[in-house]
Amino acid sequence: MSGNNLVLPIVLWGRTAPTHCISSLLVMDDFSTIITGCHDGQICLWDMTPELEICPRAMLFGHTASITCLSKASACSDKQYIVSASESGEMCLWDVNDGRCIEFTKLACAHIGIQYYQFTIGTQREGRLLCNGHYPEILVVDATSLEVLYSLVSKISPDWISSMSIIRSHRTQEDTVVAVSVTGILKVWIITPEVSRMQDLDPVFEEESKPIYCQGCQSISFCTFTQSSLLVVCSKYWRVFDAGDYSLLCSVSNDNDQSWTGGEFIAADKVIIWTEDGCSYIYKLPASCLPASEHFRSDVGKTKEGSIPPLVYRIADRSDKQLLICPPVTRFFFSRREPFHKLLIQGDSAGRMSLWSIPDTSPLQPQSTSVSFTISLQEAFDKLTPVSSGIIDQLSVLPGKDEPIKVTASVYIPSQGRLVCGREDGSIILVPATQTAIVQLLQGEHMLRRGWPPHRTLRGHRNKVTCVLYPYQVSPRYDQRSLVSGGVDFSVIVWDIFTGEMKHIFCVHGGEITQLIVPPENCSTRVQHCVCSVASDHSVGLLSLRERKCIMLASRHLFPIQVIKWRPADDYLVVGCSDGSVYVWQMDTGENQRTIKEGNLPKYSHNALVVQAMKTNLTDPDMHVLFFDVEAVIIQLLTEEAQRPNPMLVSPETLQKSQAGADKGGSLLAHKIFKQVKETMKETIKEHLLDEDEDEEEEMRRREEKSKSLSLLEYNLTMDTAKLFMSCLHAWGLNEQLDTICLERLGMLRPHCPISFGLISRGGHMSLMLPTFKESLLRQLSLATGRKLSLSDIVGKGTYGVSRAVTTHHLLSVISLANTLMGMTNATFVGEHMKKAPARPPRPGGTPETPRRTPAAPPQPSNPALQAQIKQGNYKRRETLTCSLVLVVFLTVCVKRVCVCVVVIVCAGWSQLAAMHCVMLPDLLGLDKFRPPLLEMLARRWQDRCLEVREAAQALLLAELRRIGQSGRKETIDLWAPYLPQYVDTVSSRKYHNFVC
């Protein structure tokens, strides 16, 4: 799918929360949102209430390495932007409200710290990002475009910067950047308005450089209460310096085996210091560190016992703490608005968020502070009612057990509409993707059926399935029947996907199979029919599916294999390992030619529906994301419409040959009439004109269909996809009359739980709603409406209150699809046309063009009386046939009229649905529950390449411009003015302005 396509994700998370090993943490200024980054590269958004309760809302995908730092990137409350950086040098600018990626870039250096800095040029405010990391300067980056503008460079002893802080001056226009290098040298840069306006790469050198002997600095912070103190925290001690001349005021060593990791001023006379194991301590500073005291600076240059500050509070000092994989991340934040919270927030490797409210009072004796609120992702998932469903949960719950069998590997086959799921018990399930998604998301008769939808189970692995590959999907040179799977039992199994038969087992590796890869097209003929298998014992194999044997096994790698590359021209297989070493292997001979020692989101094809298995960590079970390409759905609907015969041109011959008469009607009445026609024809025409063994052939064909594999169970994949998509997008519960039409006439299904949608933005970056988003949405809408809402109030329509970007994509999709279906002649999801009838097989003994030869008829009797009786019987038979044909013609005319009425009703239903979402939705839903579409996103779709999406964007944009009124249009023009072209002709410019307003 191209980046300009309108693609909507729907995610099925399952009951197991994704792994979220927290590596960085940030709280927004309004204290309503917490952002956490993890070592696997994902970012989680948590909503926080005024009562200090936390609930996860969404997860952002786009980084390919561990998140190293997070920072806010805007100062205004209406635009809540953050910037994230990863170990690979990636930087992303995100909108916290809807999870959109606004901008992204990749630099050659990795940041470990980012701070936002805002300055004023005239009447306009601009933002900068000051970045430090594994490079010997501080980079100044534009907060909007993420361009590097200039750098702060050291003349004296340049080295990596461990930490930095910005000191804002309220008396002058000069601000100060204070940083400490890894060697313990303090650097000072002065930022003046002239420096802030710099747009080139000329470096700015430091104003002062002073050794303070703080090696291994963990953090540096400026006291905003007194504006005269600086706190520097190192692993073995923390120190307080005078911000004027940077002289030492206080120093405290760590007597225990603990390691300090950070600290912050929480008051003019108190600091909080936290350790590597998650404990925190609040100390009261001595009088020599307080500018308001007469003893200020009295201990400069002196060392005595009285200068060690007393301990006030001990936080998170628990002996029963869970054993963690990596140290927790702790940060202190205080609100500048009421109720002026002072919060210590901690995130650990188990995805747990803990929050402490810091008291202002100082007790006489050191005390311990209990946690105010704590929750993990898994606990939030466990509290959900109903539980979050996986893609095949209805087929994975064993009798007597509550938890379903976890899906550990998946592959989707778009050409067959099937999903192949490998599970942790070693079995593989083959199931229609749309049907199983309908079971999880929508209400209907399927909820009463056990074992629905039809599926096939493959059993052969003794333990967890780790990878599944359908080679024919990658290249047509492979057999269409072959499916390949690998497991932790060291085996690779080849299956016949049509019959479910196990064709071959490869047992050549000494570890679990981690990858299955298809070689490129231009390899040798022998290698082209192989798949490449990678195992955890650091071995790589080429397994020939044609010869059923391993033609090459490379097993001399000393470290885990990370990447496989191909060089077909030289017949080389190149293996990259985690230690940086590279091995080159000859594919045909298996010889190691040489060894070199040196120290994105999925790509989608142009299908209407793509099911992608994802996991945040290798140990997680699969979660499944359904990507709906709106343009592809529209194209496939119109293509099938053009190929379908006109239902208004119905003749007795068409009825005789039709395998599904209800396909021409689309209603229950038409379906009954067609049944009567078929029964009448069977009793008359078919009885006398067709072969006597026709019924036997029909019965045999039905038995064969029942015995066929799942791949040959025919159903209309395009209509099923459209049915699932439209049922999820429609705003249910706002118009009962329209809901009835959607259910009974259009064949849509009502969701039985809030659906977790997603949003794809620039560069393929993606945000996915967690199933717990409904708790945050209920709380948000309850505050907006002033009344308590229940889960039923947001099922089917709550997503239009999530964010403006989500609303824009959803409205564009539902309106464009409704208009497409309205222009079709049989655009309803009920009736036999939802099942695609298989082609009639040729008769034995002949081709479809050559009728089967029947044996010669026995000689007719020569008795004249007997011949007369036969002639009389033939005459009566012809008379009966004539009456039957007259009845068929009459019934055909009735069916035509019924078809016309049904088509009118169906078209009117789609028209009402499109009109409601385009015009009436804000009034029906209420402005307090509705997030209006973004005008800039609609304007970009004004000339979309897809005609239906273009018309939907134009209609929606005009409706939204009418809704916001003249004042709203003027505000939009003023906002867009810097980006609009400058008109030389003032008359035409004035006419354009009056036209828009």
Side-chain angles (χ1 to χ4, degrees):
M1 296 180 185
S2 64
N4 195 38
N5 279 19
L6 183 58
V7 180
L8 265 69
I10 293 178
V11 59
L12 294 166
W13 290 95
R15 302 186 188 186
T16 304
T19 298
H20 192 65
C21 182
I22 297 175
S23 60
S24 55
L25 191 150
L26 175 69
V27 176
M28 301 305 292
D29 290 339
D30 60 357
F31 270 56
S32 63
T33 308
I34 303 175
I35 300 97
T36 56
C38 74
H39 287 285
D40 295 310
Q42 292 81 40
I43 298 172
C44 187
L45 305 181
W46 308 69
D47 287 331
M48 184 168 61
T49 66
E51 294 78 20
L52 304 183
E53 295 181 355
I54 306 173
C55 180
R57 170 170 39 109
M59 191 162 283
L60 313 182
F61 295 79
H63 285 288
T64 59
S66 174
I67 306 297
T68 55
C69 53
L70 297 166
S71 172
K72 69 174 186 177
S74 63
C76 55
S77 58
D78 56 338
K79 285 188 176 182
Q80 291 193 326
Y81 289 173
I82 64 165
V83 64
S84 59
S86 70
E87 287 181 348
S88 59
E90 301 162 329
M91 290 184 69
C92 294
L93 182 68
W94 305 90
D95 187 339
V96 175
N97 292 322
D98 52 28
R100 278 186 304 149
C101 176
I102 308 298
E103 190 60 73
F104 67 95
T105 187
K106 186 171 184 178
L107 303 178
C109 46
H111 310 307
I112 60 173
I114 299 178
Q115 292 198 28
Y116 178 72
Y117 172 71
Q118 187 182 41
F119 63 95
T120 303
I121 301 179
T123 59
Q124 189 176 3
R125 294 183 176 181
E126 293 190 15
R128 297 288 185 262
L129 299 172
L130 274 62
C131 310
N132 68 284
H134 299 160
Y135 43 89
E137 64 254 351
I138 296 177
L139 299 181
V140 182
V141 178
D142 186 90
T144 304
S145 64
L146 300 185
E147 286 185 58
V148 178
L149 302 178
Y150 58 93
S151 58
L152 307 181
V153 182
S154 299
K155 280 184 178 179
I156 303 172
S157 303
D159 210 333
W160 291 2
I161 303 297
S162 296
S163 185
M164 66 177 173
S165 179
I166 301 174
I167 302 176
R168 305 300 301 264
S169 175
H170 299 285
R171 291 172 292 181
T172 65
Q173 294 185 345
E174 294 183 352
D175 297 327
T176 305
V177 177
V178 180
V180 178
S181 68
V182 294
T183 55
I185 298 178
L186 186 138
K187 306 280 184 177
V188 180
W189 289 269
I190 304 297
I191 301 180
T192 61
E194 290 75 18
V195 173
S196 300
R197 297 191 190 99
M198 291 178 59
Q199 298 291 330
D200 52 27
L201 296 178
D202 291 340
V204 176
F205 295 101
E206 79 271 34
E207 295 290 331
E208 185 177 351
S209 181
K210 178 180 179 180
I212 58 173
Y213 309 105
C214 293
Q215 288 83 6
C217 175
Q218 301 293 321
S219 71
I220 178 173
S221 57
F222 176 65
C223 181
T224 58
F225 302 97
T226 62
Q227 297 188 357
S228 60
S229 301
L230 205 64
L231 173 65
V232 179
V233 180
C234 300
S235 58
K236 294 301 180 183
Y237 49 84
W238 59 268
R239 293 173 177 174
V240 178
F241 293 87
D242 187 348
D245 58 0
Y246 307 108
S247 56
L248 180 62
L249 301 178
C250 174
S251 179
V252 178
S253 300
N254 184 8
D255 297 332
N256 303 325
D257 294 334
Q258 297 175 338
S259 177
W260 304 116
T261 56
E264 186 65 72
F265 285 96
I266 62 172
D269 60 341
K270 295 188 189 72
V271 295
I272 184 170
I273 313 295
W274 48 85
T275 64
E276 189 177 33
D277 61 354
C279 297
S280 300
Y281 303 94
I282 298 178
Y283 293 94
K284 183 176 178 60
L285 295 177
S288 60
C289 299
L290 306 179
S293 172
E294 60 181 7
H295 301 289
F296 179 59
R297 294 178 59 90
S298 60
D299 294 334
V300 173
K302 301 177 183 179
T303 303
K304 58 181 182 179
E305 293 297 326
S307 63
I308 299 178
L311 178 65
V312 179
Y313 283 102
R314 183 181 294 107
I315 301 174
D317 190 12
R318 306 191 307 267
S319 58
D320 58 342
K321 293 180 63 175
Q322 180 184 358
L323 182 62
L324 301 176
I325 301 174
C326 55
V329 178
T330 308
R331 295 291 184 270
F332 174 81
F333 301 92
F334 62 91
S335 174
R336 292 177 172 84
R337 304 173 186 173
E338 290 187 359
F340 302 107
H341 286 302
K342 294 182 179 181
L343 302 179
L344 182 72
I345 302 178
Q346 186 178 102
D348 60 27
S349 59
R352 174 174 296 278
M353 296 290 295
S354 301
L355 183 148
W356 292 266
S357 181
I358 306 300
D360 291 327
T361 59
S362 299
L364 297 178
Q365 296 293 330
Q367 296 182 1
S368 296
T369 302
S370 60
V371 62
S372 301
F373 189 83
T374 179
I375 193 172
S376 67
L377 274 178
Q378 187 59 57
E379 290 176 355
F381 272 53
D382 294 339
K383 292 179 180 178
L384 290 174
T385 305
V387 296
S388 176
S389 57
I391 192 73
I392 57 169
D393 275 4
Q394 78 282 7
L395 306 176
S396 300
V397 179
L398 298 177
K401 293 188 177 181
D402 297 332
E403 291 292 327
I405 304 172
K406 295 179 181 179
V407 177
T408 54
S410 307
V411 64
Y412 176 64
I413 307 175
S415 60
Q416 302 176 20
R418 291 197 302 166
L419 182 66
V420 182
C421 298
R423 304 190 295 185
E424 65 177 353
D425 66 343
S427 61
I428 299 175
I429 299 291
L430 286 73
V431 64
T434 54
Q435 294 292 321
T436 189
I438 287 174
V439 171
Q440 306 302 333
L441 300 174
L442 307 178
Q443 301 178 14
E445 296 179 356
H446 52 264
M447 300 181 69
L448 305 176
R449 302 176 183 175
R450 294 189 62 184
W452 183 263
H455 61 281
R456 179 180 293 278
T457 304
L458 310 180
R459 300 190 182 275
H461 289 284
R462 297 182 180 180
N463 211 318
K464 181 174 71 173
V465 179
T466 55
C467 45
V468 183
L469 176 68
Y470 184 55
Y472 182 79
Q473 184 171 330
V474 182
S475 174
R477 68 178 184 265
Y478 291 94
D479 186 0
Q480 191 175 0
R481 294 177 169 271
S482 296
L483 174 73
V484 187
S485 63
V488 299
D489 56 357
F490 307 172
S491 66
V492 177
I493 301 180
V494 183
W495 308 87
D496 188 321
I497 197 171
F498 292 161
T499 64
E501 181 184 358
M502 185 190 302
K503 291 295 186 182
H504 190 73
I505 301 180
F506 293 96
C507 296
V508 298
H509 294 284
E512 68 176 74
I513 312 301
T514 58
Q515 295 183 66
L516 291 172
I517 308 169
V518 172
E521 295 281 349
N522 49 352
C523 288
S524 64
T525 306
R526 192 183 187 195
V527 175
Q528 282 187 7
H529 294 89
C530 296
V531 294
C532 176
S533 58
V534 181
S536 60
D537 65 338
H538 314 161
S539 63
V540 180
L542 286 177
L543 312 178
S544 176
L545 303 185
R546 173 183 287 182
E547 304 176 28
R548 303 288 170 84
K549 68 177 183 179
C550 176
I551 67 171
M552 188 203 80
L553 181 64
S555 57
R556 300 180 187 175
H557 312 107
L558 302 179
F559 289 88
I561 297 169
Q562 285 190 331
V563 64
I564 298 290
K565 296 292 184 181
W566 308 85
R567 193 172 177 180
D570 299 322
D571 195 39
Y572 286 163
L573 174 67
V574 184
V575 179
C577 297
S578 59
D579 65 333
S581 59
V582 177
Y583 295 78
V584 182
W585 299 88
Q586 187 85 32
M587 285 188 280
D588 277 341
T589 63
E591 295 181 1
N592 183 11
Q593 297 296 317
R594 57 182 176 273
T595 301
I596 306 170
K597 292 285 184 179
E598 289 181 1
N600 273 329
L601 288 179
K603 297 181 180 179
Y604 318 112
S605 56
H606 197 72
N607 296 293
L609 172 66
V610 172
V611 182
Q612 179 68 45
M614 299 178 63
K615 55 181 69 179
T616 59
N617 190 275
L618 293 177
T619 60
D620 289 349
D622 283 359
M623 62 178 184
H624 293 82
V625 185
L626 284 65
F627 294 97
F628 293 90
D629 189 333
V630 178
E631 181 180 339
V633 174
I634 292 173
I635 291 174
Q636 292 187 14
L637 285 173
L638 296 178
T639 302
E640 292 189 5
E641 171 72 7
Q643 295 174 350
R644 187 180 295 120
N646 191 345
M648 306 306 295
L649 303 177
V650 184
S651 63
E653 292 79 6
T654 306
L655 293 175
Q656 175 186 343
K657 297 178 181 179
S658 173
Q659 298 295 325
D663 187 23
K664 313 303 179 186
S667 70
L668 293 176
L669 180 58
H671 182 49
K672 292 180 180 178
I673 294 176
F674 273 121
K675 272 193 170 182
Q676 295 175 3
V677 173
K678 290 176 69 176
E679 291 174 2
T680 304
M681 292 172 61
K682 282 184 179 180
E683 294 175 359
T684 56
I685 302 174
K686 191 174 179 180
E687 179 181 355
H688 300 289
L689 298 181
L690 300 181
D691 297 334
E692 295 179 356
D693 59 344
E694 186 71 22
D695 290 335
E696 297 179 2
E697 290 184 6
E698 288 288 328
E699 185 65 25
M700 290 179 61
R701 189 158 57 83
R702 288 175 185 171
R703 291 179 181 175
E704 289 176 0
E705 287 297 323
K706 289 183 180 179
S707 64
K708 283 183 180 178
S709 66
L710 182 65
S711 62
L712 301 181
L713 290 176
E714 298 289 347
Y715 62 98
N716 195 320
L717 178 60
T718 303
M719 293 297 285
D720 246 18
T721 302
K723 176 181 179 179
L724 171 61
F725 195 31
M726 291 296 288
S727 299
C728 293
L729 289 178
H730 174 50
W732 297 89
L734 301 180
N735 187 334
E736 292 298 330
Q737 183 181 1
L738 180 58
D739 289 350
T740 303
I741 294 175
C742 290
L743 291 171
E744 297 179 359
R745 295 293 184 182
L746 305 184
M748 296 166 60
L749 300 175
R750 188 190 294 265
H752 60 74
C753 63
I755 297 173
S756 297
F757 285 94
L759 186 68
I760 298 180
S761 50
R762 296 196 59 178
H765 294 71
M766 180 172 62
S767 65
L768 296 177
M769 296 180 189
L770 291 164
T772 52
F773 86 96
K774 58 187 179 183
E775 305 295 336
S776 300
L777 185 61
L778 275 175
R779 190 181 299 111
Q780 176 184 345
L781 296 179
S782 298
L783 290 175
T785 57
R787 60 188 182 90
K788 189 173 182 180
L789 301 177
S790 62
L791 188 62
S792 59
D793 293 322
I794 64 171
V795 173
K797 54 182 178 290
T799 53
Y800 291 101
V802 173
S803 73
R804 300 186 66 183
V806 172
T807 299
T808 307
H809 281 195
H810 287 199
L811 291 181
L812 282 175
S813 303
V814 71
I815 295 172
S816 59
L817 280 175
N819 289 336
T820 302
L821 292 166
M822 183 172 57
M824 296 171 59
T825 56
N826 196 17
T828 175
F829 302 133
V830 293
E832 291 296 320
H833 68 284
M834 291 295 290
K835 297 179 181 178
K836 186 169 57 179
R840 182 171 178 171
R843 297 181 178 182
T847 63
E849 294 78 11
T850 307
R852 183 185 54 177
R853 295 182 179 179
T854 57
Q860 296 295 329
S862 58
N863 189 343
L866 185 58
Q867 289 183 3
Q869 291 179 8
I870 293 174
K871 289 180 180 179
Q872 185 178 3
N874 288 339
Y875 174 77
K876 291 181 180 179
R877 193 175 293 176
R878 285 195 297 270
E879 188 179 25
T880 304
L881 179 59
T882 303
C883 294
S884 301
L885 292 176
V886 172
L887 176 61
V888 168
V889 173
F890 172 74
L891 292 176
T892 301
V893 174
C894 295
V895 168
K896 285 185 179 181
R897 294 180 179 177
V898 172
C899 288
V900 173
C901 296
V902 170
V903 168
V904 170
I905 294 175
V906 170
C907 290
W910 291 122
S911 177
Q912 292 178 40
L913 189 143
M916 188 196 82
H917 288 84
C918 184
V919 180
M920 298 182 288
L921 191 60
D923 297 330
L924 293 174
L925 196 59
L927 293 179
D928 51 356
K929 297 182 184 178
F930 179 69
R931 297 292 179 268
L934 289 169
L935 295 178
E936 56 267 27
M937 294 181 70
L938 296 176
R940 293 191 189 103
R941 298 279 181 184
W942 185 268
Q943 290 295 330
D944 194 89
R945 67 180 184 181
C946 179
L947 178 62
E948 288 75 11
V949 175
R950 182 194 313 171
E951 292 175 348
Q954 293 175 0
L956 196 56
L957 179 58
L958 294 177
E960 184 63 18
L961 288 175
R962 286 192 296 267
R963 189 190 68 82
I964 63 178
Q966 184 174 357
S967 59
R969 293 193 291 268
K970 184 179 184 304
E971 182 181 350
T972 302
I973 292 176
D974 295 339
L975 184 64
W976 290 4
Y979 310 101
L980 296 176
Q982 300 295 325
Y983 290 94
V984 178
D985 188 354
T986 57
V987 176
S988 61
S989 178
R990 191 178 299 111
K991 288 181 178 179
Y992 174 77
H993 185 277
N994 294 335
F995 170 75
V996 176
C997 291

